Amino acid sequence: MKTAIVILNWNGKKLLEQFLPSVVNFSLPQAEVYVADNASTDESIAYIKESYPTIKIIENKKNGGYAKGYNDALLSIDADIYGLINSDIEVTENWLNSITKEFKQNKNTAVVQPKILDFKNKNKFEYAGAAGGFIDFFGYPYCRGRIFNYLEKDKNQFNDIADIFWASGACLFIRSSVFNELKGFDEDYFAHQEEIDLCWRTQNLGYDIKYIGTSTVYHVGGATLQETNPRKTFLNFRNSLFNLVKNVPNQWFLFVIFSRLVLDGIAGIKFIFQLKPIHTLAILKAHLSFYKNLIKFLNKRKQLSKKGDYNLHKTVVWQYFVLGRKKFNQLK
């Protein structure tokens, strides 16, 4: 089984200097390491060529974001397994062992995510993926170890192997055959939540998504877009609506879409009271972009013959904000 570790880079020379050593030291010779560069204007490529001449570099012609960046780069890579990791990920010794074992032993496993802890606070789970992702009935993503902004401490409570709904794009492994069957990421997302759509479509084909708690990586998070950046708010709100339009089963479609639009409006009002009107504006822009692209995404929906069930917990928003349930094992 041939594995390729592919790091997507955009003007990330400082991150490569800090995190590339662990990837190289703990991945070779089990996997080949690639850097897919999204038309960087800094000295990223020169640094890699000088410091790591054995690393293969794929130079994308433009910065097409996460989705197009990987779609373009992976066309040039011959491997059975693609390991897609952010440039701000520190990996640990033997991190690939249990991941490759899962792929070898279970042919129906298509996507795998390791345990993702916070690089800045290594005893806590990290926001982007934690111990494996889920979404609730209204499309809100959450994780084992992370509900909205509450991060649990890692007390070995998620050292298991478990079925999950989505794997984090910060560190995601996927069979190349499945990635190609799905025609990769949806490039209309640009960035954020495209991995949820990919995993949803993967399950629509009957494959499994797995979390491997015996493999650990550390993620900085927000290295490209900080949580306070309204661009991130825009992408998350818009792309979450895209996910719902494409994938929600027919019997719930209208109710879920309408309810989510109302809940987004409430979130916008909440930002105003928090004196963050720039994020309210970002939500408005997200909705305008959603309406602009609605026909296109309804057509994409028609192409997905099977739309599988998706909600482990019905109302995470209610449980978290009203009932005060902050931890995964408290959710009903």
Side-chain angles (χ1 to χ4, degrees):
M1 182 173 290
K2 192 175 179 181
T3 302
I5 305 300
V6 189
I7 302 168
L8 191 65
N9 173 70
W10 179 69
N11 290 343
K13 178 175 179 266
K14 291 183 179 179
L15 293 173
L16 293 172
E17 288 175 337
Q18 184 174 4
F19 294 105
L20 197 52
S22 75
V23 177
V24 171
N25 292 338
F26 297 137
S27 301
L28 301 175
Q30 287 175 275
E32 289 187 298
V33 178
Y34 295 77
V35 171
D37 187 78
N38 260 357
S40 293
T41 56
D42 67 357
E43 298 178 351
S44 296
I45 293 177
Y47 165 74
I48 298 166
K49 288 180 177 179
E50 181 179 349
S51 303
Y52 297 95
T54 60
I55 289 181
K56 299 179 180 179
I57 303 171
I58 300 171
E59 298 185 49
N60 292 331
K61 294 181 179 179
K62 68 176 185 178
N63 179 18
Y66 182 98
K68 182 173 175 56
Y70 269 124
N71 284 353
D72 290 347
L74 296 181
L75 292 172
S76 305
I77 297 175
D78 177 25
D80 301 300
I81 305 296
Y82 298 140
L84 314 182
I85 71 171
N86 283 7
S87 57
D88 57 348
I89 289 277
E90 179 184 78
V91 307
T92 57
E93 191 172 2
N94 299 320
W95 74 298
L96 289 176
N97 291 355
S98 50
I99 292 173
T100 54
K101 181 180 178 181
E102 172 64 27
F103 281 117
K104 288 176 181 177
Q105 291 185 343
N106 297 300
K107 300 302 181 184
N108 207 54
T109 296
V111 179
V112 164
Q113 178 201 303
K115 179 192 291 187
I116 302 178
L117 298 178
D118 188 345
F119 179 79
K120 293 166 286 189
N121 191 351
K122 292 189 174 182
N123 67 342
K124 275 193 171 185
F125 287 97
E126 207 277 319
Y127 184 93
F134 297 91
I135 59 172
D136 79 347
F137 187 68
F138 299 107
Y140 288 99
Y142 60 100
C143 308
R144 300 197 310 165
R146 191 273 293 174
I147 312 295
F148 290 103
N149 290 321
Y150 182 83
L151 298 167
E152 293 184 39
K153 288 187 176 181
D154 176 26
K155 299 179 179 178
N156 300 323
Q157 69 270 42
F158 299 123
N159 280 7
D160 55 354
I161 296 176
D163 291 304
I164 56 176
F165 187 81
W166 58 269
S168 171
C171 189
L172 177 153
F173 289 77
I174 184 169
R175 292 187 189 273
S176 59
S177 58
V178 175
F179 188 86
N180 294 329
E181 184 177 1
L182 293 166
K183 298 180 180 178
F185 293 108
D186 187 330
E187 295 180 8
D188 286 325
Y189 284 61
F190 185 79
H192 292 291
Q193 299 212 28
E194 65 279 272
E195 77 267 46
I196 297 178
D197 169 63
L198 183 79
C199 289
W200 205 333
R201 291 185 285 125
T202 297
Q203 290 171 97
N204 287 343
L205 295 177
Y207 296 108
D208 297 325
I209 318 291
K210 293 286 188 178
Y211 162 78
I212 308 295
T214 52
S215 173
T216 300
V217 302
Y218 298 98
H219 184 217
V220 174
T224 303
L225 284 178
Q226 297 290 335
E227 287 295 325
T228 55
N229 192 318
R231 175 68 172 168
K232 193 164 192 171
T233 302
F234 166 82
L235 290 169
N236 276 324
F237 276 81
R238 186 198 64 173
N239 294 352
S240 186
L241 288 167
F242 284 169
N243 283 338
L244 295 174
V245 169
K246 286 179 69 174
N247 296 294
V248 166
N250 292 333
Q251 65 266 33
W252 302 320
F253 180 76
L254 290 177
F255 175 73
V256 168
I257 296 296
F258 177 77
S259 299
R260 181 57 191 266
L261 290 171
V262 171
L263 289 168
D264 285 359
I266 294 172
I269 294 171
K270 183 171 179 280
F271 277 129
I272 290 176
F273 281 107
Q274 292 175 336
L275 302 179
K276 299 176 181 177
I278 193 170
H279 292 282
T280 303
L281 181 61
I283 294 174
L284 290 172
K285 289 180 178 179
H287 281 204
L288 289 174
S289 181
F290 166 70
Y291 293 130
K292 180 181 178 181
N293 289 281
L294 183 56
I295 299 301
K296 178 192 286 190
F297 274 79
L298 287 172
N299 288 330
K300 291 182 181 185
R301 174 183 177 82
K302 293 177 183 178
Q303 298 170 18
L304 300 174
S305 57
K306 178 180 179 293
K307 302 173 187 67
D309 195 6
Y310 65 100
N311 53 306
L312 177 67
H313 301 107
K314 301 276 186 196
T315 54
V316 169
V317 173
W318 177 265
Q319 294 192 61
Y320 181 88
F321 288 103
V322 179
L323 301 181
R325 295 171 181 164
K326 307 291 187 181
K327 296 184 178 180
F328 183 86
N329 61 8
Q330 295 173 338
L331 298 177
K332 304 297 183 182

